[in-house]
Amino acid sequence: MNTTTNIRIWNALHNEDPSSTLIQSVLQENSLASTEQCLCNRTDVASSDYARVSPVIRSATLNRSQEDAVLGCIKTRNCSHETSAKLIWGPPGTGKTKTVATLLFSLLKLKCRTVVCAPTNTAIVEVASRLLSLFKETSSSEHPTYGLGNVVLSGNRDRMGIKNNQPLLDVFLDERVVKLGHLFPPSFSGWKHRLESLINFLENTETKYERHVHELKEAERMKEETEKKKKKQEVERMKEETEKKTKQEVERMKEETEEVERMKEETEKKTTKQEVERMKEETEKKKKQEAVHIPTFGEFVREKFNASSEELKTDMVDLYTHLPKSYISSEQVKYMIAAQQAFNRVRDFLQENSSKSDFNKGSFKFDYFNRLISADCLQALRLLPARFEIPYLLESKNIGAFCLQSAHIIFCTASGAAEMSAERTGSVDLLVVDEAAQLKECESVAALQLSGLRHAILIGDELQLPAMVQSEICEKAKFGRSLYERLVLLGHNKHLLNVQYRMHPSISRFPNKEFYGGRITDAEVVQESIYQKRFLQGNMFGSFSFINVGRGKEEFGDGHSPKNMVEVAVIAEIISNLSKVSSERRMKVNVGVISPYKGQVRAIQERVSSLPSGQLLTLNVRSVDGFQGGEEDIIIISTVRSNGNGKVGFLSNRQRANVALTRARHCLWVVGNETTLALSDSIWGKLISEARSRGCFFEAADEKNLRDAMNDALLEDVSSSFGTLSIGRNMGRGGW
């Protein structure tokens, strides 16, 4: 969290604006938001609203719980006599992001002014990208970006990692300000000028060509005169220099014979004459090289038309991409598409005919070209609007405020919501917070103070990782607790997304029972036999297994983050085998390795970096925090801890365990020390019992390759210890 974010939180917490009715109801210590008591919550979605959003919901193929979540939010949005906060509970793999994207697309259709927040730049870019994908799936192929002018992504380009990501640039605020500034500048240029210039050119191609030829010839004449003058001056200069040299030479050689003098004079004359001739030849040669090329009529028209039409085509795409739909009608967009198609026909004709000798005045091709221009291209161009009914904000260079006030969906981080003032953004109908369980309650205050806001939708899962808090004092004070979690603790209802689409049932069974009370159903797609995949031979490498590495040893480095080199060796061997199999079978495999400890993550990364890299195997080695929201075909968990007293530190954190255990699609292999984990009185002991009861518990030493890898790691550890001991003894004997 940087200084800017802290200042924004401070200002938001000290804002006593009495108009913030939602925040007054939500932040009271013992008060529930009023959704449960509101009569609007018991009625159906208005028929007019349902008619507009039902095609969106059908095309998204939502399950019943997802559809109910979307429709419930739309009902909440229509309530005008109460303020409310609605919670959507999205456990791992239940399609939370898809549900959010469908909700936002529905709100866009309903023209509901909505601000969408998330804790981080990465999270807000992800949900914005999903909405854009859904938007373009249902858009016309001819103008897939028409309507994006009602969607804005506000933030820092570098921190959001946008760079040259075109889909995101289509809605990115800073990019939109530049585009609209180019289209509607205060000076005599921009869209209107470029449109009128092309029309004028096509109406007067012959006159324009004649003027162009005249200008070229005039430029050539003036250039020749300048060259002649320069040549004359050069000759005069050389004569003067020659005479001066000759005079000096005569003075010096007064005592020489007349014959020598005569020969010298002839030589000087000859030299001067040769030099003049050489200069003349070079000038003629240069003149030929630099002679101005006068294009044919066809060449001239093709060059000018291609440049101008391409610029105008870019303008048209920018217009229907970045102007809100209220300022550019679908009919105007159709005219723009027709104009672009006319451009293509003229361009194709010129490409084929402009350089041919029979393309001149009076010829059939020339007459056809004129008909093509007047009956096709010019007619299409004259239907285009030269001006748009844009407000004063756009003309006065306050383009950013125009974009925000005209948008229906505004994406920003929770911190960025502090910049969405009433003057800049206008009144807001609805707030949607994604990953709400990862957003500190104090960070959500600025978003809850948006002008006109009455309803908030919080989407998250408090059983996964919360916001990161570094200070132990802050941790004890519940500084990292989210508004989402506090409302849950107060007994606020949560709408559960209850079908998971990620994990094979063998993987989802334990976390579903342990964290979600068995309320999550496996989707049909993950129950199909084809979803059960075998990547390596042996029962140890089935869909779910616990692999016991009892001979490991936990080591604490300088950073006090433990590592277990025996587990590292076992995991490196498994990855090496996966790489070989993927190469032999020509099969793409995505593998993730998760460990709660940074020391172990670094050790695994260093070890696997020396393995042969297969092009078909993709490997991600990260901490639990780095994997939240991610998923892979295979997940290998390294639990690291290996001691006789069951001490496992923050490995016992249930939220971290939940995230780690729910990232795999097809295979989940947990590597750890059975004795340590069983004694820890944590969720990992329950996992081992579950694995034993299901016949999914295996000894790493029973598999030859893994046993050899463990032995090598133990020998390396012994050798290292022996080396350290020898050094100590040598130093005791007076060694270095």
Side-chain angles (χ1 to χ4, degrees), residues 155-216:
N156 184 289
R157 182 193 294 255
D158 294 333
R159 290 175 185 166
M160 287 184 166
I162 292 176
K163 296 181 181 177
N164 295 319
N165 184 323
Q166 191 55 55
L168 289 173
L169 288 176
D170 286 340
V171 297
F172 187 57
L173 179 60
D174 291 354
E175 182 77 4
R176 180 162 294 168
V177 168
V178 172
K179 295 286 189 182
L180 292 179
H182 179 68
L183 290 165
F184 305 107
S187 59
F188 183 69
S189 59
W191 158 256
K192 182 175 182 291
H193 171 70
R194 289 187 285 273
L195 173 61
E196 291 174 348
S197 295
L198 182 55
I199 291 174
N200 180 263
F201 171 75
L202 293 176
E203 288 175 338
N204 303 280
T205 51
E206 293 178 59
T207 304
K208 296 283 185 183
Y209 175 67
E210 290 170 359
R211 183 182 300 171
H212 181 66
V213 171
H214 174 73
E215 289 172 353
L216 289 178

Coordinates of all heavy atoms in Angstrom, one line a residue, residues 155-216:
G155 N -7.3 4.4 -14.3 CA -6.2 4.0 -13.5 C -4.8 4.3 -14.1 O -4.7 5.1 -15.0
N156 N -3.8 3.7 -13.6 CA -2.4 3.9 -14.0 C -2.0 2.8 -15.0 O -2.1 1.6 -14.7 CB -1.5 3.8 -12.8 CG 0.0 4.1 -13.2 OD1 0.6 3.3 -13.8 ND2 0.5 5.2 -12.7
R157 N -1.7 3.2 -16.2 CA -1.4 2.3 -17.3 C -0.3 1.3 -17.0 O -0.4 0.1 -17.2 CB -1.0 3.1 -18.6 CG -0.7 2.2 -19.8 CD 0.0 3.0 -20.9 NE -0.8 4.1 -21.4 CZ -1.4 4.0 -22.6 NH1 -1.3 3.0 -23.4 NH2 -2.2 5.0 -23.0
D158 N 0.8 1.8 -16.4 CA 1.9 0.9 -16.1 C 1.6 -0.1 -15.0 O 1.8 -1.3 -15.1 CB 3.1 1.7 -15.6 CG 3.7 2.6 -16.8 OD1 3.5 2.1 -17.9 OD2 4.3 3.6 -16.5
R159 N 0.9 0.4 -13.9 CA 0.5 -0.5 -12.8 C -0.5 -1.5 -13.2 O -0.6 -2.7 -12.7 CB 0.1 0.3 -11.6 CG 1.2 1.1 -10.9 CD 0.6 2.0 -9.8 NE 1.7 2.8 -9.3 CZ 1.5 3.8 -8.5 NH1 0.2 4.2 -8.2 NH2 2.5 4.6 -8.0
M160 N -1.3 -1.2 -14.2 CA -2.4 -2.1 -14.7 C -1.8 -3.0 -15.7 O -2.4 -4.0 -16.1 CB -3.6 -1.3 -15.2 CG -4.4 -0.7 -14.2 SD -5.9 0.1 -14.9 CE -6.9 0.4 -13.4
G161 N -0.6 -2.7 -16.2 CA 0.1 -3.6 -17.2 C -0.7 -3.6 -18.5 O -0.7 -4.6 -19.2
I162 N -1.2 -2.5 -18.9 CA -2.0 -2.4 -20.1 C -1.1 -2.4 -21.4 O -1.3 -3.1 -22.3 CB -3.0 -1.2 -20.1 CG1 -4.1 -1.4 -19.0 CG2 -3.6 -1.0 -21.5 CD1 -5.0 -0.2 -18.8
K163 N -0.1 -1.5 -21.4 CA 0.8 -1.3 -22.5 C 0.1 -1.2 -23.8 O -0.6 -0.3 -24.1 CB 1.8 -2.5 -22.4 CG 2.7 -2.5 -21.2 CD 3.7 -3.7 -21.2 CE 4.5 -3.7 -19.9 NZ 5.5 -4.8 -19.9
N164 N 0.2 -2.3 -24.6 CA -0.4 -2.2 -26.0 C -1.6 -3.2 -26.1 O -1.8 -3.7 -27.2 CB 0.6 -2.5 -27.1 CG 1.7 -1.4 -27.1 OD1 1.4 -0.2 -27.0 ND2 2.9 -1.8 -27.3
N165 N -2.2 -3.5 -25.0 CA -3.3 -4.4 -24.9 C -4.5 -3.7 -25.6 O -5.2 -3.0 -24.9 CB -3.6 -4.9 -23.5 CG -4.7 -5.9 -23.4 OD1 -5.7 -5.9 -24.2 ND2 -4.6 -6.8 -22.5
Q166 N -4.8 -4.0 -26.9 CA -5.8 -3.3 -27.6 C -7.2 -3.3 -27.0 O -7.9 -2.3 -26.8 CB -5.9 -3.7 -29.0 CG -6.7 -2.8 -29.9 CD -6.3 -1.3 -29.8 OE1 -5.1 -1.0 -30.0 NE2 -7.2 -0.4 -29.5
P167 N -7.7 -4.5 -26.6 CA -9.1 -4.6 -26.0 C -9.2 -3.6 -24.8 O -10.2 -2.9 -24.6 CB -9.2 -6.0 -25.6 CG -8.4 -6.8 -26.5 CD -7.2 -5.9 -26.7
L168 N -8.2 -3.6 -23.9 CA -8.3 -2.7 -22.7 C -8.1 -1.2 -23.1 O -8.7 -0.4 -22.5 CB -7.2 -3.1 -21.7 CG -7.5 -4.4 -21.0 CD1 -6.3 -4.9 -20.1 CD2 -8.7 -4.3 -20.1
L169 N -7.2 -1.0 -24.1 CA -7.0 0.4 -24.6 C -8.3 1.0 -25.1 O -8.5 2.2 -25.1 CB -5.9 0.5 -25.6 CG -4.5 0.3 -25.1 CD1 -3.5 0.3 -26.3 CD2 -4.1 1.3 -24.1
D170 N -9.2 0.1 -25.6 CA -10.5 0.6 -26.2 C -11.4 1.2 -25.1 O -12.3 2.0 -25.4 CB -11.3 -0.6 -26.8 CG -10.7 -1.0 -28.1 OD1 -10.0 -0.2 -28.7 OD2 -11.0 -2.1 -28.6
V171 N -11.1 0.9 -23.8 CA -11.9 1.5 -22.7 C -11.1 2.3 -21.7 O -11.6 2.8 -20.8 CB -12.7 0.4 -22.0 CG1 -13.7 -0.3 -22.9 CG2 -11.8 -0.6 -21.3
F172 N -9.7 2.3 -21.9 CA -8.9 2.9 -20.9 C -9.0 4.5 -21.0 O -8.9 5.1 -22.1 CB -7.4 2.5 -21.2 CG -6.4 3.0 -20.1 CD1 -6.6 2.7 -18.8 CD2 -5.4 3.8 -20.5 CE1 -5.7 3.1 -17.8 CE2 -4.5 4.3 -19.5 CZ -4.7 3.9 -18.2
L173 N -9.2 5.1 -19.9 CA -9.6 6.5 -19.8 C -8.5 7.4 -20.5 O -8.9 8.3 -21.3 CB -9.8 6.9 -18.4 CG -10.2 8.4 -18.2 CD1 -11.5 8.8 -18.9 CD2 -10.3 8.7 -16.7
D174 N -7.3 7.2 -20.1 CA -6.2 8.1 -20.7 C -6.2 8.0 -22.2 O -6.0 9.0 -22.9 CB -4.9 7.8 -20.1 CG -4.8 8.1 -18.6 OD1 -5.8 8.8 -18.1 OD2 -3.8 7.8 -17.9
E175 N -6.3 6.8 -22.7 CA -6.3 6.5 -24.2 C -7.5 7.2 -24.8 O -7.4 7.8 -25.9 CB -6.3 5.0 -24.4 CG -6.2 4.7 -25.9 CD -4.8 4.8 -26.5 OE1 -3.9 5.2 -25.7 OE2 -4.7 4.6 -27.7
R176 N -8.6 7.1 -24.2 CA -9.9 7.7 -24.7 C -9.7 9.2 -24.8 O -10.2 9.9 -25.7 CB -11.1 7.3 -23.9 CG -12.4 7.9 -24.4 CD -13.5 7.1 -23.8 NE -13.6 5.7 -24.3 CZ -14.3 4.8 -23.8 NH1 -15.1 5.0 -22.8 NH2 -14.3 3.5 -24.3
V177 N -9.1 9.8 -23.8 CA -8.9 11.3 -23.8 C -8.1 11.7 -25.0 O -8.4 12.7 -25.6 CB -8.3 11.7 -22.4 CG1 -7.8 13.2 -22.5 CG2 -9.3 11.6 -21.3
V178 N -7.0 10.9 -25.2 CA -6.2 11.3 -26.4 C -6.9 11.1 -27.7 O -6.8 12.0 -28.6 CB -4.9 10.3 -26.4 CG1 -4.1 10.5 -27.7 CG2 -4.0 10.6 -25.2
K179 N -7.7 10.0 -27.8 CA -8.4 9.8 -29.1 C -9.5 10.8 -29.3 O -9.6 11.4 -30.5 CB -9.1 8.4 -29.0 CG -8.1 7.2 -29.0 CD -7.5 7.0 -30.3 CE -6.7 5.7 -30.3 NZ -6.0 5.4 -31.5
L180 N -10.3 11.2 -28.3 CA -11.3 12.2 -28.5 C -10.7 13.6 -28.7 O -11.2 14.4 -29.4 CB -12.2 12.2 -27.3 CG -13.1 10.9 -27.2 CD1 -14.0 11.1 -25.9 CD2 -14.0 10.7 -28.4
G181 N -9.5 13.8 -28.1 CA -8.8 15.1 -28.3 C -8.4 15.2 -29.8 O -8.4 16.3 -30.3
H182 N -8.0 14.1 -30.4 CA -7.6 14.1 -31.8 C -8.8 14.3 -32.7 O -8.6 15.0 -33.8 CB -6.9 12.8 -32.1 CG -6.4 12.7 -33.5 ND1 -5.4 13.5 -34.0 CD2 -6.8 11.9 -34.5 CE1 -5.2 13.1 -35.3 NE2 -6.1 12.2 -35.6
L183 N -9.9 13.8 -32.3 CA -11.1 13.9 -33.1 C -11.8 15.3 -33.0 O -12.3 15.8 -34.0 CB -12.1 12.8 -32.7 CG -11.8 11.4 -33.1 CD1 -12.6 10.4 -32.3 CD2 -11.9 11.1 -34.6
F184 N -11.7 15.9 -31.8 CA -12.4 17.1 -31.6 C -11.4 18.2 -31.0 O -11.6 18.6 -29.9 CB -13.6 16.9 -30.7 CG -14.6 15.9 -31.2 CD1 -14.6 14.7 -30.6 CD2 -15.4 16.1 -32.3 CE1 -15.5 13.7 -31.0 CE2 -16.3 15.2 -32.7 CZ -16.3 13.9 -32.1
P185 N -10.4 18.6 -31.7 CA -9.5 19.6 -31.2 C -10.1 21.0 -31.3 O -11.0 21.2 -32.1 CB -8.3 19.4 -32.1 CG -8.8 19.0 -33.4 CD -10.0 18.1 -33.1
P186 N -9.6 21.9 -30.5 CA -10.1 23.3 -30.6 C -9.7 24.0 -31.9 O -10.4 24.9 -32.3 CB -9.5 24.0 -29.4 CG -8.3 23.2 -29.1 CD -8.6 21.8 -29.4
S187 N -8.6 23.6 -32.5 CA -8.2 24.2 -33.7 C -8.9 23.6 -35.0 O -9.7 22.7 -34.9 CB -6.7 24.0 -33.9 OG -6.4 22.6 -33.9
F188 N -8.6 24.2 -36.1 CA -9.3 23.8 -37.4 C -8.6 22.5 -37.9 O -7.7 22.6 -38.8 CB -9.2 24.9 -38.4 CG -9.9 24.6 -39.7 CD1 -11.3 24.5 -39.8 CD2 -9.2 24.3 -40.9 CE1 -11.9 24.1 -40.9 CE2 -9.8 24.0 -42.1 CZ -11.2 23.9 -42.1
S189 N -8.9 21.4 -37.3 CA -8.4 20.1 -37.7 C -9.4 19.1 -37.2 O -10.6 19.4 -36.9 CB -7.0 19.9 -37.2 OG -7.0 20.0 -35.8
G190 N -9.0 17.9 -37.0 CA -9.8 16.9 -36.4 C -10.7 16.2 -37.5 O -10.6 16.3 -38.7
W191 N -11.8 15.5 -37.0 CA -12.7 14.7 -37.8 C -13.3 15.5 -38.9 O -13.3 15.2 -40.1 CB -13.7 14.0 -36.9 CG -15.0 13.6 -37.6 CD1 -16.2 14.3 -37.6 CD2 -15.1 12.5 -38.5 NE1 -17.1 13.6 -38.4 CE2 -16.5 12.5 -39.0 CE3 -14.3 11.5 -39.0 CZ2 -17.0 11.6 -39.8 CZ3 -14.8 10.5 -39.8 CH2 -16.1 10.6 -40.2
K192 N -13.9 16.6 -38.6 CA -14.7 17.5 -39.5 C -13.8 17.9 -40.7 O -14.1 17.8 -41.8 CB -15.3 18.7 -38.8 CG -16.1 19.6 -39.7 CD -16.8 20.7 -38.8 CE -17.7 21.6 -39.7 NZ -16.9 22.4 -40.7
H193 N -12.6 18.4 -40.3 CA -11.6 18.9 -41.3 C -11.2 17.7 -42.2 O -11.1 17.9 -43.5 CB -10.4 19.5 -40.6 CG -9.3 19.8 -41.5 ND1 -9.4 20.9 -42.5 CD2 -8.1 19.3 -41.7 CE1 -8.3 20.9 -43.1 NE2 -7.5 20.0 -42.7
R194 N -10.9 16.6 -41.7 CA -10.4 15.5 -42.5 C -11.5 14.9 -43.4 O -11.2 14.5 -44.5 CB -9.8 14.4 -41.6 CG -8.5 14.8 -40.9 CD -7.8 13.6 -40.2 NE -8.5 13.3 -38.9 CZ -8.2 13.9 -37.8 NH1 -7.3 14.9 -37.7 NH2 -8.8 13.6 -36.7
L195 N -12.7 14.8 -42.9 CA -13.8 14.4 -43.7 C -14.0 15.3 -44.9 O -14.1 14.9 -46.1 CB -15.1 14.3 -42.9 CG -16.4 14.0 -43.6 CD1 -16.3 12.6 -44.3 CD2 -17.6 14.0 -42.7
E196 N -14.1 16.6 -44.6 CA -14.4 17.6 -45.7 C -13.2 17.7 -46.7 O -13.4 17.9 -47.9 CB -14.6 19.0 -45.0 CG -15.9 19.1 -44.3 CD -16.0 20.4 -43.5 OE1 -15.0 21.2 -43.4 OE2 -17.2 20.7 -43.0
S197 N -12.0 17.5 -46.2 CA -10.8 17.5 -47.1 C -10.9 16.3 -48.1 O -10.6 16.5 -49.3 CB -9.5 17.4 -46.3 OG -9.3 18.5 -45.5
L198 N -11.3 15.1 -47.6 CA -11.4 14.0 -48.5 C -12.5 14.2 -49.5 O -12.3 13.9 -50.7 CB -11.6 12.7 -47.7 CG -11.6 11.4 -48.6 CD1 -10.4 11.2 -49.4 CD2 -11.8 10.2 -47.7
I199 N -13.6 14.7 -49.1 CA -14.7 14.9 -50.0 C -14.3 15.9 -51.1 O -14.5 15.7 -52.3 CB -15.9 15.5 -49.3 CG1 -16.5 14.3 -48.4 CG2 -17.0 16.0 -50.2 CD1 -17.7 14.8 -47.5
N200 N -13.6 17.0 -50.7 CA -13.1 18.0 -51.6 C -12.2 17.4 -52.6 O -12.2 17.7 -53.8 CB -12.5 19.2 -50.8 CG -12.0 20.3 -51.7 OD1 -10.8 20.3 -52.0 ND2 -12.9 21.2 -52.1
F201 N -11.3 16.6 -52.1 CA -10.3 15.9 -53.0 C -11.0 15.1 -54.1 O -10.7 15.1 -55.3 CB -9.3 15.1 -52.2 CG -8.4 14.3 -53.0 CD1 -7.3 14.8 -53.7 CD2 -8.6 12.9 -53.2 CE1 -6.5 14.1 -54.5 CE2 -7.8 12.1 -53.9 CZ -6.7 12.7 -54.6
L202 N -11.9 14.3 -53.6 CA -12.6 13.4 -54.6 C -13.5 14.1 -55.6 O -13.7 13.6 -56.7 CB -13.4 12.3 -53.8 CG -12.6 11.3 -53.0 CD1 -13.5 10.4 -52.2 CD2 -11.7 10.5 -53.9
E203 N -14.0 15.2 -55.2 CA -14.8 16.1 -56.1 C -14.0 16.8 -57.1 O -14.5 17.2 -58.2 CB -15.6 17.1 -55.3 CG -16.8 16.5 -54.5 CD -17.4 17.5 -53.6 OE1 -16.8 18.6 -53.3 OE2 -18.6 17.3 -53.2
N204 N -12.7 16.9 -56.9 CA -11.8 17.7 -57.7 C -10.5 17.0 -58.0 O -9.4 17.7 -57.9 CB -11.5 19.1 -57.1 CG -12.8 19.9 -56.8 OD1 -13.4 20.5 -57.7 ND2 -13.2 19.8 -55.5
T205 N -10.5 15.7 -58.3 CA -9.3 15.0 -58.5 C -8.4 15.6 -59.6 O -7.2 15.7 -59.5 CB -9.6 13.5 -58.7 OG1 -10.5 13.4 -59.8 CG2 -10.1 12.8 -57.5
E206 N -9.0 15.9 -60.8 CA -8.3 16.4 -61.9 C -7.6 17.8 -61.6 O -6.4 18.0 -61.9 CB -9.2 16.6 -63.1 CG -9.7 15.2 -63.7 CD -10.6 15.4 -64.8 OE1 -10.2 16.0 -65.9 OE2 -11.8 14.9 -64.8
T207 N -8.4 18.6 -61.0 CA -7.9 20.0 -60.6 C -6.8 19.8 -59.6 O -5.7 20.5 -59.7 CB -9.0 20.8 -60.0 OG1 -10.1 20.9 -60.9 CG2 -8.5 22.2 -59.7
K208 N -6.9 18.9 -58.6 CA -5.9 18.7 -57.6 C -4.6 18.2 -58.3 O -3.5 18.5 -57.9 CB -6.4 17.7 -56.6 CG -7.6 18.2 -55.8 CD -7.2 19.2 -54.7 CE -8.4 19.6 -53.8 NZ -8.0 20.6 -52.8
Y209 N -4.8 17.3 -59.3 CA -3.6 16.7 -59.9 C -2.9 17.8 -60.7 O -1.7 17.8 -60.6 CB -4.1 15.6 -60.9 CG -2.9 15.0 -61.7 CD1 -1.9 14.3 -61.1 CD2 -2.9 15.2 -63.1 CE1 -0.8 13.8 -61.8 CE2 -1.9 14.7 -63.8 CZ -0.8 14.0 -63.2 OH 0.2 13.5 -63.9
E210 N -3.6 18.6 -61.5 CA -3.0 19.6 -62.3 C -2.3 20.6 -61.4 O -1.1 21.0 -61.7 CB -4.1 20.4 -63.1 CG -4.6 19.5 -64.2 CD -5.9 20.2 -64.9 OE1 -6.2 21.3 -64.4 OE2 -6.4 19.6 -65.8
R211 N -2.8 20.9 -60.2 CA -2.2 21.8 -59.3 C -0.9 21.2 -58.7 O 0.1 21.8 -58.6 CB -3.1 22.2 -58.2 CG -2.5 23.2 -57.2 CD -3.5 23.5 -56.0 NE -4.7 24.1 -56.5 CZ -5.8 24.2 -55.8 NH1 -5.8 23.9 -54.5 NH2 -6.9 24.8 -56.3
H212 N -1.0 19.9 -58.4 CA 0.1 19.2 -57.9 C 1.3 19.2 -58.9 O 2.5 19.4 -58.5 CB -0.3 17.8 -57.5 CG 0.8 16.9 -57.0 ND1 1.4 17.2 -55.8 CD2 1.5 15.8 -57.5 CE1 2.4 16.3 -55.5 NE2 2.4 15.4 -56.5
V213 N 1.0 18.9 -60.2 CA 2.0 18.9 -61.2 C 2.6 20.2 -61.4 O 3.8 20.4 -61.5 CB 1.4 18.4 -62.6 CG1 2.4 18.6 -63.7 CG2 1.0 16.9 -62.5
H214 N 1.8 21.3 -61.4 CA 2.3 22.6 -61.5 C 3.2 23.0 -60.4 O 4.3 23.6 -60.6 CB 1.1 23.6 -61.5 CG 1.5 25.1 -61.5 ND1 2.1 25.7 -62.6 CD2 1.5 26.0 -60.5 CE1 2.4 27.0 -62.2 NE2 2.0 27.1 -61.0
E215 N 2.8 22.6 -59.2 CA 3.7 22.8 -58.0 C 5.0 22.1 -58.1 O 6.1 22.7 -57.8 CB 3.0 22.4 -56.7 CG 1.8 23.3 -56.4 CD 1.0 22.8 -55.2 OE1 1.2 21.7 -54.8 OE2 0.1 23.5 -54.8
L216 N 5.0 20.9 -58.6 CA 6.2 20.1 -58.8 C 7.1 20.8 -59.8 O 8.4 20.9 -59.6 CB 5.9 18.7 -59.2 CG 5.3 17.8 -58.1 CD1 5.0 16.4 -58.7 CD2 6.2 17.6 -56.9

